[in-house]
Amino acid sequence: MPRSRVERHVDALFEWGIEVQSGDMVTIFASPPSQAFVNALHAKLGRIGAEPVTITGRPSSNIGVAGEHIAAFLANYDGTPTTPDHLQALVEASDAFIVIGGATNMHSTGRVPRATQQQRGKAMGPIMDTMMGSEQAVLVVHPTDAYAQHAGMSLPEFEDFVYQTSLRDWAAQNTRQERMRERLAAAEEARIVGPDTDLTLSLAGMCAINDIGDLNFPPGEVYTAPVLDSVNGVISFDKPTMMRGSEVEDIHLSIEDGTVRGFSARRNEAALKSVLETDAGSERIGEFGIGMNDAIDRVTGHISFDEKMGGTIHLALGRAYAKTVGAGREQNQSAVHIDLIKGMGESRLELDDDVVQENGEFVVE
Amino acid sequence: MPRSRVERHVDALFEWGIEVQSGDMVTIFASPPSQAFVNALHAKLGRIGAEPVTITGRPSSNIGVAGEHIAAFLANYDGTPTTPDHLQALVEASDAFIVIGGATNMHSTGRVPRATQQQRGKAMGPIMDTMMGSEQAVLVVHPTDAYAQHAGMSLPEFEDFVYQTSLRDWAAQNTRQERMRERLAAAEEARIVGPDTDLTLSLAGMCAINDIGDLNFPPGEVYTAPVLDSVNGVISFDKPTMMRGSEVEDIHLSIEDGTVRGFSARRNEAALKSVLETDAGSERIGEFGIGMNDAIDRVTGHISFDEKMGGTIHLALGRAYAKTVGAGREQNQSAVHIDLIKGMGESRLELDDDVVQENGEFVVE
């Protein structure tokens, strides 16, 4: 029997995103609209001989995607949410984690006070830390109506989009990304030049990572962190980004010695301001990434896709990934990590004065 | 705003079925079709300030109701299922358990080999033991299409049935049942007389229990266990019972000194035979119960309702509940506990020669 797209999605996840052995204890987080993926995943785990337990909802500190029941819980909670010790016990006894992004409604937490959301986020911290500290933890997106609607597509259109971007020749993509990773790892300095944009960043002594499914799925970016004080210049981001539940458009930043000194946005500038004011690290740059998944050809409002869009680069405000920070270099610390995405259609990326990307096309390849 | 039936169902569960305190760790088992109940339950737990974790599916050793993903897992499992240690860790760290019966399909395990089902049942044993050993563990039924179809009703009809049988004046019912419990506790001997039926059982030294939501919801029975070797005579059961996935009809048993010596059934007799041959305890009687929930006026094929039907009694083949067995009396042990239900419309129940129920009506009240 030919395998369905959902089954092939699960196969690809296990080939490129996560490694599970017979006897492993696997914890899955999923919402009801992703039941088809959950079923295919269980069939796979049966064949492997690993033991699954599926939690309804998401453990995220971003409770907007936690699920409608968690929203109902928090909307009625009159106090300070605590860490669920029994969930912590489950997570500590687990070998692998699969989080299935399959939202019912992107705004399910509309009635939850912001303070309760923040407290819940903190209470889930130890659980998130245990999961993120595992070698085997991956987020995968299953197409649901909520995501489709948010992306401005019908469900069949969004399904096509998810499978076209997730079911690819990952071996070939891996080779292609590895060449870019080597180029990025060797570079001393990057420069981004284009309309309202001229920004330089030092990459000296930092580590470049080839993302081929290590954190989320589909894969498709190469990323590093800039030397913290080295970022200088101005940059415009033409792709929208969700911040604090609002879509922020046409962001422009002016950066001096690694710190944002000026900012503007055409829409929802207040949300950008709120993010920048979170803490000391939130107005500094924690990541520089290059999107290389060419099947991602449009913005969906879901960062798992948007940050990997072909012909784009992104900078993240906030926390740097530890593995991108070289020995002796400072890792940017912050409660936030928010990617800002720039299409390179009219811009160019230079590494040590060599143009590697111009008008959205890679020159080095 | 007037509360919905689902919300009142949750309220009744917390008033009569389970006690949860602020700070308690609550583990919920639920399937996707019961999301409305899960949401209302989470709102309630938010108000209480207890921490919920919801597992998709059921932990039951009866995997027919475990959920379609568990069926997919087991249908592909080529080996001996093991106890999910991470689920065990969660359950051991929990203070209360709410299992929501909300099946998607009553035959979801159609493709799972019987041997795998049995092994899975054994592997779940320690988890079931931990849950059943808790003072705060309850099973509640949410109306789904699968249950409705199985009961021969539309979903709206079955919803009416569930709420009519679950949203009652439980204080009055409690008083009524307590009178019957006292009557049963004081009795030395019970006799059931009717068409093809004349059975005596000694209740001397056994304990009678007033079920007002201690194990499952809706409540509505008073039950005890017979002295193990004291059951003698013949009895016919006119209500069908699900056994090993088959509906067994018109069961007739001949019992000598507590052991079934002869049996027949008009339909699916082989399933009855298979149950009786399970082990030494499966051909002995572990429970004698009286159904007193008069809103349950028909067979649904769901034992949580059927065993409490007004105007019925039931005997269980197999394991006796520890709390029904008096000091110094033997508790029947078995891997099975299967209730056989008899309508009393043309029969009578005597306790120590007093007629307490005749033609389906209670005489003592």
Side-chain angles (χ1 to χ4, degrees), chain B residues 29-63:
Chain B
F29 293 87
S31 292
S34 49
Q35 190 66 37
F37 191 93
V38 169
N39 291 351
L41 179 56
H42 275 71
K44 185 84 178 182
L45 291 170
R47 283 192 290 277
I48 292 171
E51 286 290 340
V53 164
T54 298
I55 308 286
T56 310
R58 290 258 304 263
S60 176
S61 55
N62 167 16
I63 69 153

Side-chain angles (χ1 to χ4, degrees), chain A residues 25-27 30 32 35 38-39 42-47 49-56 68-70 72-73 76-78 81-87 89-90 93-94 120, chain B residues 25-27 30 32 35 38-39 42-47 49-56 68-70 72-73 76-78 81-87 89-90 93-94 120:
Chain A
M25 299 293 141
V26 183
T27 292
Q35 190 66 38
V38 169
N39 291 351
H42 275 71
K44 184 85 177 182
L45 291 171
R47 282 192 290 278
E51 285 291 338
V53 164
T54 298
I55 308 286
T56 311
E68 54 185 307
H69 57 302
I70 300 297
F73 170 67
N76 288 280
Y77 201 107
D78 182 26
T82 58
T83 304
D85 294 335
H86 52 340
L87 182 58
L90 174 90
S94 300
R120 166 79 175 186
Chain B
M25 300 293 142
V26 184
T27 292
Q35 190 66 37
V38 169
N39 291 351
H42 275 71
K44 185 84 178 182
L45 291 170
R47 283 192 290 277
E51 286 290 340
V53 164
T54 298
I55 308 286
T56 310
E68 54 186 306
H69 57 304
I70 300 297
F73 170 67
N76 287 278
Y77 201 106
D78 183 24
T82 58
T83 303
D85 294 336
H86 52 341
L87 182 58
L90 173 91
S94 301
R120 166 76 175 186

Side-chain angles (χ1 to χ4, degrees), chain A residues 14 19-26 45 48-51 95-96 136:
Chain A
F14 279 77
E19 215 177 305
V20 173
Q21 316 286 340
S22 172
D24 276 359
M25 299 293 141
V26 183
L45 291 171
I48 292 171
E51 285 291 338
D95 302 302
Q136 301 305 335

Side-chain angles (χ1 to χ4, degrees), chain B residues 149-169:
Chain B
Q149 175 172 316
H150 186 68
M153 298 185 222
S154 68
L155 183 56
E157 283 175 298
F158 188 62
E159 285 172 341
D160 284 350
F161 175 81
V162 168
Y163 299 120
Q164 277 160 17
T165 59
S166 300
L167 303 178
R168 304 191 65 201
D169 180 350

Side-chain angles (χ1 to χ4, degrees), chain B residues 9-178:
Chain B
H9 198 190
V10 169
D11 289 342
L13 181 71
F14 279 77
E15 191 172 357
W16 293 99
I18 194 166
E19 215 177 306
V20 173
Q21 317 287 339
S22 172
D24 276 358
M25 300 293 142
V26 184
T27 292
I28 300 153
F29 293 87
S31 292
S34 49
Q35 190 66 37
F37 191 93
V38 169
N39 291 351
L41 179 56
H42 275 71
K44 185 84 178 182
L45 291 170
R47 283 192 290 277
I48 292 171
E51 286 290 340
V53 164
T54 298
I55 308 286
T56 310
R58 290 258 304 263
S60 176
S61 55
N62 167 16
I63 69 153
V65 293
E68 54 186 306
H69 57 304
I70 300 297
F73 170 67
L74 292 173
N76 287 278
Y77 201 106
D78 183 24
T80 307
T82 58
T83 303
D85 294 336
H86 52 341
L87 182 58
Q88 177 73 7
L90 173 91
V91 161
E92 282 174 4
S94 301
D95 301 302
F97 305 93
I98 300 168
V99 179
I100 304 166
T104 306
N105 181 330
M106 306 290 281
H107 306 289
S108 61
T109 50
R111 276 196 178 165
V112 182
R114 190 168 294 274
T116 308
Q117 295 195 34
Q118 284 166 345
Q119 287 153 358
R120 166 76 175 186
K122 275 188 200 162
M124 296 302 282
I127 289 165
M128 296 303 291
D129 288 346
T130 304
M131 291 173 58
M132 299 295 281
S134 163
E135 283 292 298
Q136 300 305 333
V138 71
L139 168 72
V140 58
V141 175
H142 180 73
T144 70
D145 268 306
Y147 288 143
Q149 175 172 316
H150 186 68
M153 298 185 222
S154 68
L155 183 56
E157 283 175 298
F158 188 62
E159 285 172 341
D160 284 350
F161 175 81
V162 168
Y163 299 120
Q164 277 160 17
T165 59
S166 300
L167 303 178
R168 304 191 65 201
D169 180 350
W170 291 120
Q173 177 76 12
N174 191 30
T175 304
R176 190 178 158 228
Q177 289 185 190
E178 184 56 22

Side-chain angles (χ1 to χ4, degrees), chain A residues 67-326:
Chain A
E68 54 185 307
H69 57 302
I70 300 297
F73 170 67
L74 292 173
N76 288 280
Y77 201 107
D78 182 26
T80 307
T82 58
T83 304
D85 294 335
H86 52 340
L87 182 58
Q88 178 73 9
L90 174 90
V91 161
E92 283 175 2
S94 300
D95 302 302
F97 305 93
I98 300 168
V99 179
I100 304 166
T104 306
N105 181 331
M106 306 290 281
H107 307 289
S108 61
T109 51
R111 278 194 175 168
V112 183
R114 190 169 295 274
T116 308
Q117 295 196 33
Q118 283 165 347
Q119 286 153 358
R120 166 79 175 186
K122 273 186 200 161
M124 296 302 283
I127 289 165
M128 295 302 291
D129 288 348
T130 303
M131 289 173 58
M132 299 296 280
S134 162
E135 283 292 299
Q136 301 305 335
V138 70
L139 168 72
V140 57
V141 175
H142 180 73
T144 70
D145 268 307
Y147 289 144
Q149 176 171 316
H150 187 69
M153 298 186 223
S154 67
L155 183 57
E157 283 175 299
F158 189 62
E159 285 172 341
D160 285 350
F161 175 81
V162 168
Y163 298 120
Q164 276 159 18
T165 60
S166 300
L167 303 178
R168 303 191 64 200
D169 180 349
W170 292 119
Q173 177 75 10
N174 190 31
T175 304
R176 191 180 157 226
Q177 289 185 188
E178 184 56 23
R179 279 199 299 269
M180 178 58 77
R181 190 200 65 77
E182 286 168 7
R183 196 75 180 75
L184 212 56
E188 294 282 314
E189 189 182 79
R191 186 179 174 200
I192 305 158
V193 184
D196 296 325
T197 299
D198 192 347
L199 193 82
T200 57
L201 339 82
S202 169
L203 305 179
M206 304 306 269
C207 308
I209 306 290
N210 173 6
D211 160 42
I212 196 73
D214 55 342
L215 283 178
N216 49 48
F217 202 88
E221 65 168 317
V222 177
Y223 63 102
T224 184
V227 176
L228 209 42
D229 296 337
S230 77
V231 189
N232 273 290
V234 294
I235 183 164
S236 290
F237 301 92
D238 58 325
K239 310 296 181 196
T241 291
M242 288 296 286
M243 292 184 200
R244 308 265 145 102
S246 302
E247 204 172 56
V248 184
E249 285 185 25
D250 287 343
I251 295 168
H252 185 77
L253 298 181
S254 167
I255 304 174
E256 282 175 37
D257 300 333
T259 300
V260 174
R261 298 295 184 193
F263 66 90
S264 67
R266 187 172 57 79
R267 204 167 139 244
N268 290 317
E269 191 179 276
L272 172 61
K273 183 165 186 284
S274 156
V275 164
L276 287 166
E277 288 173 351
T278 305
D279 49 35
S282 62
E283 52 182 10
R284 311 185 83 180
I285 305 301
E287 182 192 348
F288 167 53
I290 301 174
M292 296 185 70
N293 186 334
D294 290 341
I296 302 174
D297 56 2
R298 73 197 100 169
V299 172
T300 63
H302 196 304
I303 196 63
S304 284
F305 296 101
D306 294 353
E307 64 174 354
K308 293 157 196 153
M309 198 187 319
T312 67
I313 62 98
H314 56 277
L315 297 181
L317 294 170
R319 192 169 57 82
Y321 293 109
K323 56 186 166 186
T324 58
V325 180

